[in-house]
């Protein structure tokens, strides 16, 4: 485990305050924050996240991104740690490092130049996913700086739990971000994640306003986001930011502390799709449970299918200059 200097901190009396996420932990030297991967240091802050536990390449659709460079290879990195403690996390062996007993540190330092070169060799991007990428903001900035020279962009799959100042610093380094918006009822969101919901919605708006391509994912978690009124509320909030934001409805998979809970049924996902469309969202997706039609992009003008997808793959894009070949309607995205 290697500790390196961290950014985004301010004095807090005899302590230092971490200004990366809204927890704003005030830390004494050597004291860990709520994320367990940032700690106080003499005169500043340190991070353990200039590292990764994985380094593999798959399609960007797996993040999921459906409107960002379809079919692009994404070299994925993930350092342990998270600012949330979601009870259903399928990646808890990585994300809950420091919270769960006996989870080993199995990350190695990242060679930024090597990572960017590997992504460039396959015409890809670098994705930070599986754990919480915002905790690796220093690594993100380094990857983006080197990536600009090689034509390699950086994308995040994030919980969106960042301060305004963190977003201001990192937004210019990101080409795209997919943010989990698990629900908007604050009490239920806190029970599930240990954190409030409002900063997540604020981050969606802030990244969008900063020009980062934004997609949103909502897992239909029992007791948090499965009721019709919850789905409708989330859809309306996204549509208020921009009805062209792609919305990914994710099937809840029993895992971690919720391993005994039933998975989301296809009928609930299909109903959520209709609620999203009724709220005005133009692009609503379900990865698997509704088959290929649930993954396809349709023109909001004429209804023709303009992008066909397999599971975590691009099958065919019929776009012409970013628009529908039949009626010419422009399709939101980074094509």
């Amino acid at each position: 485990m290697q500790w390196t200097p961290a950014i985004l901190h301010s004095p807090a009396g005899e302590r230092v305050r971490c200004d990366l996420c809204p927890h704003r932990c005030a830390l004494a030297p050597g004291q860990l924050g709520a994320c367990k991967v940032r700690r106080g240091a003499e005169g500043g802050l340190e991070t353990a996240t200039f590292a990764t536990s994985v380094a593999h390449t798959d399609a960007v659709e797996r993040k999921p991104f459906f409107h960002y460079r379809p079919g692009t290879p994404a070299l994925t990195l993930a350092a342990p740690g998270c600012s949330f403690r979601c009870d259903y996390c399928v990646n808890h062996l990585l994300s809950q490092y420091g919270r769960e007993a006996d989870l080993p540190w199995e990350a190695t330092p990242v060679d930024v130049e090597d990572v960017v070169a590997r992504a460039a060799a396959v015409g890809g991007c670098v994705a930070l996913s599986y754990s919480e990428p915002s905790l690796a903001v220093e690594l993100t900035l380094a990857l983006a700086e080197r990536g600009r020279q090689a034509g390699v962009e950086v994308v995040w799959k994030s919980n969106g739990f960042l301060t305004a100042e963190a977003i201001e610093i990192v937004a210019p380094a990101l080409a795209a971000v997919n943010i989990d918006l698990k629900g908007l009822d604050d009490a239920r969101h806190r029970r599930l994640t240990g954190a409030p919901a409002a900063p997540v919605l604020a981050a969606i708006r802030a990244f969008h306003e900063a020009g980062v391509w934004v997609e949103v994912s909502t897992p239909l978690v029992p007791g948090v986001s499965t009721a019709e009124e919850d789905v409708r509320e989330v859809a309306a909030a996204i549509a208020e930011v921009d009805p062209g934001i792609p919305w990914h409805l994710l099937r809840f998979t029993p895992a971690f502390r919720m391993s005994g809970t039933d998975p989301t049924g296809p009928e609930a996902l299909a109903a959520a799709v209709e609620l999203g469309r009724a709220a005005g969202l133009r692009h609503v997706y379900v990865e698997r449970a509704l088959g290929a039609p649930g993954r396809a992009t349709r023109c909001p003008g004429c209804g023709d299918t303009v992008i066909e997808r397999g599971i975590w793959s691009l099958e065919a894009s019929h776009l012409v200059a970013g628009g529908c070949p039949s009626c010419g309607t422009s399709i939101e995205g980074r094509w």
Side-chain angles (χ1 to χ4, degrees):
M1 193 171 190
Q2 180 176 320
W3 292 92
T4 57
I7 61 172
L8 287 161
H9 54 81
S10 58
E14 296 182 354
R15 298 178 176 235
V16 62
R17 178 178 293 106
C18 178
D19 296 318
L20 177 62
C21 89
H23 288 313
R24 293 194 186 269
C25 300
L27 305 171
Q31 183 180 3
L32 295 171
C35 62
K36 308 304 181 185
V37 290
R38 289 168 75 84
R39 73 180 184 185
E42 291 293 342
L45 203 68
E46 293 179 323
T47 178
T49 58
F50 212 95
T52 187
S53 297
V54 302
H56 63 252
T57 302
D58 49 27
V60 77
E61 281 80 4
R62 187 168 186 171
K63 298 305 108 188
F65 285 105
F66 280 9
H67 287 234
Y68 168 78
R69 297 178 59 194
T72 295
L75 175 55
T76 302
L77 309 179
C82 190
S83 46
F84 282 2
R85 52 159 182 73
C86 300
D87 289 338
Y88 71 96
C89 184
V90 296
N91 296 314
H92 63 276
L93 296 178
L94 185 62
S95 69
Q96 298 305 298
Y97 171 83
R99 290 194 185 97
E100 294 296 300
D102 301 324
L103 286 182
W105 180 266
E106 295 182 339
T108 56
V110 171
D111 182 329
V112 169
E113 191 165 327
D114 177 67
V115 166
V116 170
R118 288 171 59 188
V122 294
C125 63
V126 177
L128 276 67
S129 181
Y130 302 133
S131 56
E132 179 44 45
S134 63
L135 299 176
V137 63
E138 297 83 5
L139 174 58
T140 299
L141 295 174
L143 288 166
E145 182 179 2
R146 182 70 185 93
R148 290 187 191 99
Q149 305 168 36
V152 172
E153 295 180 325
V154 181
V155 304
W156 274 4
K157 176 68 172 71
S158 174
N159 65 17
F161 195 64
L162 293 97
T163 61
E165 54 264 48
I167 293 172
E168 183 177 1
I169 287 173
V170 78
L174 294 174
V177 59
N178 185 310
I179 293 177
D180 269 7
L181 183 56
K182 296 171 174 62
L184 290 175
D185 181 277
D186 199 66
R188 282 179 278 157
H189 194 275
R190 285 178 184 271
R191 283 198 299 271
L192 180 73
T193 69
V200 181
L201 183 58
I204 291 170
R205 185 179 299 278
F207 276 118
H208 182 267
E209 291 177 350
V212 180
W213 177 250
V214 175
E215 305 195 17
V216 175
S217 295
T218 297
L220 297 189
V221 181
V224 178
S225 54
T226 50
E228 183 175 312
E229 58 269 28
D230 295 325
V231 175
R232 186 181 288 112
E233 183 181 27
V234 171
I238 299 169
E240 186 178 355
V241 177
D242 186 340
I245 291 176
W247 190 29
H248 301 263
L249 292 161
L250 307 181
R251 187 179 194 183
F252 165 77
T253 302
F256 198 24
R257 299 188 187 97
M258 298 182 70
S259 58
T261 309
D262 291 335
T264 313
E267 64 285 348
L269 288 159
V273 169
E274 294 308 312
L275 290 170
R277 290 173 178 162
L281 293 173
R282 292 193 281 270
H283 307 290
V284 185
Y285 298 107
V286 173
E287 184 180 78
R288 293 191 186 189
L290 302 184
R295 299 185 292 268
T297 297
R298 292 179 176 78
C299 172
C302 67
D304 279 6
T305 296
V306 294
I307 301 178
E308 302 169 59
R309 299 179 182 87
I311 298 172
W312 301 335
S313 66
L314 172 69
E315 290 192 346
S317 174
H318 307 292
L319 294 175
V320 176
C324 174
S326 299
C327 70
T329 297
S330 180
I331 310 298
E332 297 90 348
R334 301 289 187 267
W335 312 116

